[in-house]
Each structure stands twice: as structure tokens, then as C-alpha cells.
Amino acid sequence: MIRKLQIKIIIVITLILTSAVFGIMFAVNTMVTAENDHEIETNITRIAALDGLLPQEYVTIDPYTNSQTGYTDSFSVQINHNYSVRKIVLTRDIVVKQEDVIGYVNTALQSGKTRGELGNYAFCIQSKPYGKIVVFMDITSFQQAKKNLIFTTSLIGLMTILVFFGFAVAISFWLVKPVRKTFNKQKLFISNASHELKTPLAVINANADVLKTEIGVNKWLGYIQSETSRMNELVNELLCLARLDDKTGHKMIISEFNLSDVFLQTMLPFESKVFELGKTLEIEAQPDIMYKGDISTIKHILTILIDNAIKYSDEKGLISTKLYSHSDKRIIEVFNTGMGVPKEKLKKIFERFYRQDEARDRKSGGYGLGLAIAKASVEAHNGKISVQSEYGKWIRFTVTLS
């Protein structure tokens, strides 16, 4: 439970901080891209206004190469009203084949746009007295700058995620420390209280047995014995949970055994009880399925599930148990007809002390601990337990063991 809480804290902190950083990075990329687009639009519009010539205030002459500097390469095509080429204007040392120029112009005109991009060129179409002018400006440097910015921000983002993850892990330990301390105290209290209660319960039960031999059958004495038995059952379940929570205090004896035999040995003794209740029990087990685990714990899981199915099946209902293997998995299914559990409550069914119907559970003798114990025991074997139900009709528990 503490580990799951810690994982949730790590995920939440990492997501919040990462989202904030990526929001900032997205804003930076958007602003820089918008600024570059504005600069491209301004430059290409001014070139188009000058019929393809460069604005002189931006042009300087490189004294070493005697070429124009300070402006991006561009070329433009003046088109007459009949769509014939009137003039081609090239700037700087740009070299473009005539067939490529015509191809670019045709593509730009067919696009139906007055501004856009074609590969490494941005284009602008303006109407003129003689027809139209199509200006193409080389935007390779802008595109490369955009790629560099995306790469840099992505790298920073990845490093930020790693840093924030480490920060989240560190802070999660600090945040769950008081919870862990309280939970450990709770486990210690449950364990100690359960041990302390066993002695007086044993004394009460022993004295009740002595009284029974002396005074015979007595309803008041019967009530004492019945409630003592219920109390003893609750104490044993609390002790079982305490041992499962305290990994160091509960050592499982791992061995390889025939799971099919254990399954049948656990299920078959319930046939008489089910028959007396007027219900039907179906047992199906694939033979010779081997498994490596703790036999007593597996038997306890099976007992909890079959006992739960008997308690909550409807009158003259069906209880079906199955054991089979699939690939490298051992699968146990326990099904029973009855009221089942509403879909919105299925997630709570394995919580400690959870009881869907308080009155019904009190009548059946349940404490809401059995399924919690089964889940913890299955997870101790690195397995999974799940539940499906159609409310008002049936419920099925599935245990998957590797």
C-alpha cells in the first residue's frame, strides 16, 4: 500500500513539473517560430514590392568576394496577364535551372495561395500592373534554426524529466515517511492485540466447554460459544494479515508440488456442505499441473474463494471451480451465481473490511478480510487476482499464477 502511494506521488509530481517545463518550451518554440515566420514574410513581401530586387538598405558588398551579403538568396519570376514569363530575377550567387524555376512557379500558382512554402523556399505572389510576380526566398537557414531549437529544447526536456523524476523519488520518501510510520504502528498494534486476545478467548472457550458438561445444553452458553468462535476467527484473520504485511515476519516455505492434487483436496470436502445447502458444486481440474510455491498459503487462498462463493451464492445456486494451465500460467477460476457486485464497486472488493451489504455480511459471518488476505497472498506469489461480475446474476474470481 505504501509503495503504491509512493509511486502515485512520484508520477503526479513528475507529470506536474514536466508539464510546466514543456509548456514553457512550447511557448518559446511558438514565439521563435512566429518571429521567424514574421521575418520571412516581411523580407519576401519587400522583395515582391521591388519587383524581385533586394532592398538596398539591407545589402552590403563583401570586400573579399565582391558579392552581396546581409540578405538571403532569392529569385523571382514576373508573369504577364497571359501567364507567360516576362522576366526572371536572381539575387546574389543563387543558381537555379530554368526548368526548376518554371516548375516552382506552376506549383505555387496551382496551390491557390498567395504565401506558402515549397521545400527549402518560401514563396509570395503579388499582383502587378503587368500581371503577377512570384518571389521565392531560400529559408534553409530558418528551417535549420528551427530544427536546432526543437532538438535543443527536446534534449533539455529529457534532462528535465530525469531531474524531476529523481526529485520526485526523493520527495516521495519524505512525504510517505509519516504514513509509513503510522502504518507500521497500526500493523504492530493489530499483531500485538491479536496475540493478546487469543489467550482470553481460549480461556473463555475452555470454561464454556466445562460449563456445558456440567449444566448441559443452554442457549445462553451457546451464544457465548458462537460469538467466541466468531471472535477467534476474526483474530486469526487479523494475524494472517499482519504476517502478510510484515514480510520479515512471514516466511513462506517454497516447494514444488502438484497443484491439481492440492486443488482437489481443498475443494472436495466442501461438496457435503454445498449439498446440505441445496446448491450445486462443480469441480474441474486439469491433471498434473505442477507449481512452485507455499502449499499452506495456496490452500488458504482456495479456501477463502470457495467459502466466499458458498456464502454469497443464491438459493439453489451454482458454484463452479476450475483449474487449468495456459502457456506458462496456472489459472484458478471460482464462479457462483447470485447478486454479484455492481461494476462501480468491483475495485473496492479487495479492500480490507469492505462489505457491500453490511446486514448480509453480518448474517453470513464475514468481516471483509477474506478477499484482502487472498489478494495479498496471491501477490506474495507474484500472481494476480481479478474479478468480473454481472450484477444480479453472477461473479467470477480469477487467480493467475506464473
Side-chain angles (χ1 to χ4, degrees):
M1 185 181 73
I2 299 296
R3 183 175 178 80
K4 288 182 179 179
L5 175 62
Q6 192 171 357
I7 291 173
K8 287 181 180 179
I9 291 173
I10 292 171
I11 292 173
V12 169
I13 293 176
T14 305
L15 284 177
I16 291 174
L17 296 178
T18 302
S19 298
V21 170
F22 272 95
I24 295 171
M25 291 181 178
F26 176 78
V28 170
N29 276 274
T30 302
M31 287 188 293
V32 171
T33 301
E35 185 178 345
N36 287 341
D37 291 343
H38 177 71
E39 185 177 350
I40 292 170
E41 183 178 352
T42 301
N43 291 346
I44 199 170
T45 301
R46 294 197 66 188
I47 295 173
L50 295 172
D51 283 341
L53 300 175
L54 296 180
Q56 290 302 314
E57 65 267 26
Y58 291 102
V59 179
T60 57
I61 303 298
D62 189 329
Y64 299 100
T65 61
N66 199 34
S67 61
Q68 296 175 348
T69 61
Y71 219 90
T72 187
D73 295 330
S74 67
F75 66 89
S76 58
V77 180
Q78 297 176 7
I79 302 172
N80 295 319
H81 291 291
N82 60 359
Y83 287 94
S84 60
V85 175
R86 180 172 179 269
K87 184 180 180 182
I88 297 176
V89 181
L90 303 179
T91 61
R92 293 185 57 185
D93 299 325
I94 191 168
V95 177
V96 185
K97 295 180 181 179
Q98 185 172 351
E99 57 268 26
D100 292 338
V101 170
I102 301 303
Y104 280 126
V105 171
N106 289 334
T107 303
L109 292 173
Q110 290 171 6
S111 69
K113 301 177 181 178
T114 57
R115 289 186 180 83
E117 291 183 9
L118 291 175
N120 295 329
Y121 292 99
F123 70 85
C124 172
I125 303 175
Q126 278 190 8
S127 297
K128 295 289 182 176
Y130 52 78
K132 291 183 179 180
I133 185 170
V134 184
V135 179
F136 294 89
M137 188 174 76
D138 189 344
I139 57 172
T140 304
S141 60
F142 292 96
Q143 291 175 334
Q144 187 60 46
K146 185 177 180 180
K147 289 178 182 178
N148 292 340
L149 180 63
I150 292 174
F151 174 78
T152 303
T153 53
S154 298
L155 185 62
I156 293 173
L158 180 60
M159 294 175 63
T160 301
I161 290 175
L162 295 175
V163 171
F164 283 162
F165 178 77
F167 171 75
V169 171
I171 201 171
S172 68
F173 279 100
W174 177 71
L175 289 174
V176 301
K177 190 175 180 180
V179 180
R180 191 189 301 276
K181 187 176 181 181
T182 303
F183 187 67
N184 288 336
K185 286 182 178 179
Q186 178 188 352
K187 288 193 298 182
L188 182 62
F189 170 77
I190 291 174
S191 179
N192 292 340
S194 300
H195 279 293
E196 292 299 324
L197 285 171
K198 288 185 73 68
T199 301
L201 284 173
V203 172
I204 293 171
N205 201 43
N207 281 279
D209 288 338
V210 173
L211 280 174
K212 188 175 181 180
T213 59
E214 292 185 0
I215 65 176
V217 178
N218 181 281
K219 69 174 183 178
W220 310 112
L221 188 58
Y223 293 155
I224 293 174
Q225 289 179 311
S226 175
E227 293 305 310
T228 303
S229 177
R230 279 168 48 83
M231 189 66 177
N232 194 55
E233 181 183 346
L234 174 60
V235 168
N236 288 333
E237 289 186 346
L238 288 171
L239 277 173
C240 181
L241 274 177
R243 286 194 295 268
L244 288 169
D245 285 335
D246 187 4
K247 300 293 192 301
T248 59
H250 178 64
K251 299 293 184 182
M252 294 192 297
I253 302 174
I254 305 298
S255 62
E256 190 172 12
F257 59 92
N258 191 315
L259 182 59
S260 300
D261 290 344
V262 171
F263 180 82
L264 293 173
Q265 291 168 9
T266 306
M267 295 300 174
L268 289 173
F270 285 93
E271 281 186 321
S272 57
K273 181 179 179 180
V274 172
F275 178 77
E276 289 175 2
L277 294 172
K279 303 178 182 182
T280 303
L281 175 61
E282 295 178 353
I283 303 173
E284 182 182 337
Q286 184 178 325
D288 299 322
I289 296 178
M290 303 303 294
Y291 181 65
K292 196 172 185 179
D294 183 74
I295 297 179
S296 62
T297 304
I298 296 299
K299 284 183 177 179
H300 194 194
I301 295 169
L302 294 171
T303 301
I304 290 172
L305 293 178
I306 184 64
D307 186 58
N308 187 77
I310 294 171
K311 284 179 181 178
Y312 299 111
S313 56
D314 53 351
E315 188 177 352
K316 297 182 180 180
L318 170 66
I319 299 144
S320 174
T321 63
K322 293 181 182 180
L323 168 67
Y324 59 93
S325 62
H326 179 71
S327 298
D328 60 339
K329 308 291 184 183
R330 289 82 168 170
I331 300 172
I332 299 165
E333 292 183 0
V334 179
F335 168 93
N336 68 270
T337 57
M339 285 302 295
V341 178
K343 187 176 180 180
E344 64 273 11
K345 294 184 178 180
L346 283 177
K347 291 183 179 180
K348 297 181 179 180
I349 200 167
F350 294 108
E351 292 180 3
R352 300 178 185 189
F353 301 105
Y354 174 75
R355 299 195 290 187
Q356 180 188 340
D357 188 337
E358 292 287 339
R360 186 181 177 193
D361 285 331
R362 198 175 291 116
K363 182 180 178 181
S364 63
Y367 300 101
L369 290 173
L371 292 176
I373 293 173
K375 184 175 187 291
S377 300
V378 169
E379 290 178 348
H381 281 80
N382 296 318
K384 293 181 180 179
I385 183 170
S386 59
V387 58
Q388 300 86 35
S389 178
E390 184 175 349
Y391 187 54
K393 293 185 177 181
W394 56 267
I395 188 169
R396 179 189 292 110
F397 290 91
T398 302
V399 176
T400 304
L401 301 171
S402 300

